[in-house]
Amino acid sequence: MSEQQQQQQDSVPEQCPGVESNQAGKTNACQGCPNQSLCSTGTMKETIEKETKEIKESLKTIKHKLLILSGKGGVGKSTISSQLALSLSFLNENQQIGVLDIDLCGPSIPTMFNLEGHQLRQSNLGWTPVYYEDNLAIISIGFMLPNKDDAVIWRGPKKNGLIKQFLKDVYWGDYLDYLIIDTPPGTSDEHLTICNYLKHTNLDGAIIVTTPQDVSCNDVKREINFCRKVGIPILGLVENMNGFICPKCNHESIIFHPTSGGGKQLALDYQIEYLGSLSLDPIIMNACEKGMCILKEYPNSLVANQLQGIINNLLKQLVVKK
């Protein structure tokens, strides 16, 4: 799809009947839409069906596909993504794990795996990920920037084009057991693109991340409603920064007071699984800045126990969903 076609596809009216509808390009809502002629002739539908088929073929050898989402920035999506991947890789070396970073304007994943300075390579099979371990592969726009401090100033169509390339042009190897997709905050272009394509590829679902305070939980409610509106299953919710663990005395203090009950109450209110919580511990910051697996390097810590509990609950949910 050309950039012009992509721009047209992204400029749809709010009451769009959808390209799969028999009324596509023919209703009053379609008047003035730049896509009208493409929809009415079926060209847009054919283009999207072709892209969806290519992406489905590319991802067919991936057993589990997990989205890490939150309506709020700074709650720890990349922390959860990276530590989940590192933990699954560490717990079973025979499992193949992939991480896809679609936070195009704020790619933290290369830093959290201590892989800054590495570059993606291309072969006749497609883009080759950067490998943290033999069984842990990473894709991020951070590996494509000439300078790690360069700003990515892209409009929606260009972002969507790169995400589609990541979905259909990356060679992950013969198979993956888990593909963990780290996303930016909100419910914007990147989310719509990834959800529209992944819901046709047996996506397992989304892990929602929040922190305890209301300002975070309120935004996360919108993310939950977004998932339900676009048909993305929710595997469960993780509450990050649940309490502060003092490195001197190991006493836990509540920094972000859960005025309305925090993540646990939010999960209860929306009838989704509460996967567990992570404390605000310097161990997590140290592990993320040095690309270390908490379960491996700090096995006797409280946060390692919390993380293991989250993983156990997640694996149970995957069995239930299956």
Side-chain angles (χ1 to χ4, degrees):
M1 182 184 287
S2 69
E3 186 166 340
Q4 181 181 4
Q5 286 178 311
Q6 182 66 61
Q7 288 174 335
Q8 289 177 321
Q9 183 177 323
D10 293 337
S11 304
V12 297
E14 187 175 350
Q15 301 300 321
C16 173
V19 296
E20 296 177 355
S21 169
N22 292 330
Q23 297 301 310
K26 301 171 184 176
T27 69
N28 290 335
C30 302
Q31 299 300 316
C33 175
N35 302 329
Q36 186 173 10
S37 62
L38 292 174
C39 289
S40 62
T41 59
T43 303
M44 182 68 80
K45 181 179 179 181
E46 290 174 2
T47 300
I48 292 176
E49 285 179 346
K50 179 176 180 292
E51 291 174 342
T52 301
K53 185 177 180 180
E54 290 172 346
I55 290 170
K56 191 173 182 179
E57 178 67 21
S58 176
L59 303 181
K60 69 180 182 180
T61 58
I62 300 175
K63 187 175 181 181
H64 295 295
K65 307 170 192 73
L66 312 175
L67 278 172
I68 312 298
L69 297 174
S70 177
K72 191 69 177 172
V75 298
K77 291 182 300 299
S78 296
T79 297
I80 299 299
S81 297
S82 58
Q83 286 302 317
L84 178 58
L86 287 164
S87 299
L88 290 171
S89 169
F90 168 68
L91 291 170
N92 188 344
E93 294 181 356
N94 293 321
Q95 289 187 148
Q96 296 296 318
I97 315 298
V99 176
L100 174 57
D101 179 10
I102 64 164
D103 190 349
L104 303 182
C105 294
S108 304
I109 289 297
T111 300
M112 292 194 169
F113 285 93
N114 197 25
L115 292 173
E116 287 183 322
H118 290 257
Q119 296 290 318
L120 295 181
R121 306 294 180 197
Q122 283 191 305
S123 70
N124 60 338
L125 295 174
W127 281 342
T128 302
V130 174
Y131 279 82
Y132 176 89
E133 296 281 4
D134 288 344
N135 68 332
L136 179 50
I138 322 290
I139 285 284
S140 172
I141 193 176
F143 299 134
M144 303 171 69
L145 301 177
N147 186 311
K148 69 181 181 68
D149 297 325
D150 286 346
V152 178
I153 308 173
W154 287 2
R155 295 188 184 274
K158 197 166 184 180
K159 290 181 183 179
N160 297 344
L162 182 61
I163 291 170
K164 277 186 283 191
Q165 280 190 284
F166 280 165
L167 290 175
K168 68 185 182 69
D169 293 337
V170 172
Y171 178 64
W172 293 101
D174 292 338
Y175 70 97
L176 285 181
D177 290 287
Y178 296 93
L179 177 63
I180 298 162
I181 303 170
D182 187 35
T183 67
T187 54
S188 56
D189 290 335
E190 293 94 325
H191 303 81
L192 288 170
T193 298
I194 199 81
C195 291
N196 282 338
Y197 286 108
L198 286 184
K199 67 183 181 182
H200 299 291
T201 65
N202 297 318
L203 173 69
D204 288 272
I207 299 168
I208 307 292
V209 183
T210 188
T211 49
Q213 67 271 45
D214 281 0
V215 71
S216 175
C217 290
N218 289 339
D219 283 345
V220 169
K221 290 175 184 177
R222 299 183 185 98
E223 192 75 36
I224 294 170
N225 289 328
F226 167 81
C227 287
R228 290 176 173 173
K229 189 171 183 178
V230 299
I232 299 299
I234 298 175
L235 293 168
L237 183 143
V238 173
E239 185 178 71
N240 194 22
M241 308 181 199
N242 178 266
F244 171 69
I245 306 297
C246 176
K248 297 289 187 181
C249 66
N250 290 325
H251 175 73
E252 183 175 17
S253 301
I254 302 301
I255 303 296
F256 303 119
H257 186 69
T259 309
S260 300
K264 186 172 288 188
Q265 185 63 46
L266 180 61
L268 186 64
D269 290 344
Y270 279 80
Q271 297 182 327
I272 59 179
E273 189 72 17
Y274 183 67
L275 298 178
S277 63
L278 274 182
S279 297
L280 190 62
D281 192 316
I283 283 175
I284 299 177
M285 184 197 73
N286 191 51
C288 288
E289 291 194 343
K290 295 180 180 178
M292 298 188 302
C293 174
I294 291 173
L295 293 189
K296 179 180 179 181
E297 303 297 336
Y298 304 98
N300 299 318
S301 65
L302 173 62
V303 289
N305 185 57
Q306 292 172 333
L307 185 59
Q308 183 67 69
I310 290 169
I311 291 170
N312 291 344
N313 289 333
L314 171 62
L315 295 179
K316 290 177 186 176
Q317 283 299 297
L318 292 177
V319 171
V320 170
K321 293 288 182 182
K322 186 176 180 181

